Amino acid sequence: MYALKNKVQLIGNLGNAPEVKNTENGKKLARFSMATNETYRGRTGEKITETTWHNVVAWGKVAEIAEKYLSKGKEIAIEGKLINRSYTDKDGIKRSVTEIQVSEILMMDHKPAA
């Protein structure tokens, strides 16, 4: 059970193409947003869909895969862990952000049979 303490698994769609850059030490970094949807029925039976947006970060080989194969709207499954970090913005205000650091990506888009 120790391995389950900080584990995230999501299936959703990319909100944008990965933004990829190389760090000063030569490591590749990819950032993108991902939307997950939850659908349920309201009190009167109407269908309600709630969308949640997630900030996703990939490093190294996983970032290379993201750069090569991912694009806006693509359906993917990811596995990773939650990372909390803080920074000071250009106005001097301290901000906090929670991101998912990806360890695995699975492409979910189905290709039609030829």
Side-chain angles (χ1 to χ4, degrees):
M1 287 298 234
Y2 179 75
L4 298 177
K5 288 189 178 185
N6 186 1
K7 185 175 187 178
V8 176
Q9 294 178 321
L10 297 174
I11 297 175
N13 296 85
L14 267 69
N16 59 313
E19 179 184 310
V20 181
K21 58 183 166 183
N22 291 306
T23 62
E24 292 175 7
N25 62 3
K27 202 165 188 184
K28 192 164 281 221
L29 165 67
R31 292 183 182 279
F32 55 92
S33 62
M34 180 176 173
T36 55
N37 295 314
E38 181 179 357
T39 304
Y40 60 92
R41 298 273 177 200
R43 288 186 190 174
T44 60
E46 77 278 13
K47 185 177 170 182
I48 300 171
T49 300
E50 290 184 357
T51 301
T52 303
W53 287 94
H54 311 276
N55 295 317
V56 182
V57 177
W59 291 93
K61 289 284 187 193
V62 180
E64 291 175 19
I65 291 168
E67 179 180 35
K68 188 172 182 179
Y69 296 107
L70 301 186
S71 58
K72 181 178 180 175
K74 191 169 223 29
E75 185 179 27
I76 62 169
I78 62 168
E79 184 174 302
K81 64 181 180 177
L82 290 176
I83 301 291
N84 295 305
R85 64 180 179 87
S86 58
Y87 64 95
T88 305
D89 70 11
K90 63 183 179 188
D91 298 322
I93 300 170
K94 189 169 184 173
R95 306 267 185 198
S96 295
V97 65
T98 300
E99 300 171 320
I100 300 167
Q101 184 174 320
V102 177
S103 56
E104 292 186 44
I105 297 175
L106 176 64
M107 272 52 95
M108 302 292 288
D109 285 346
H110 303 285
K111 294 186 178 180

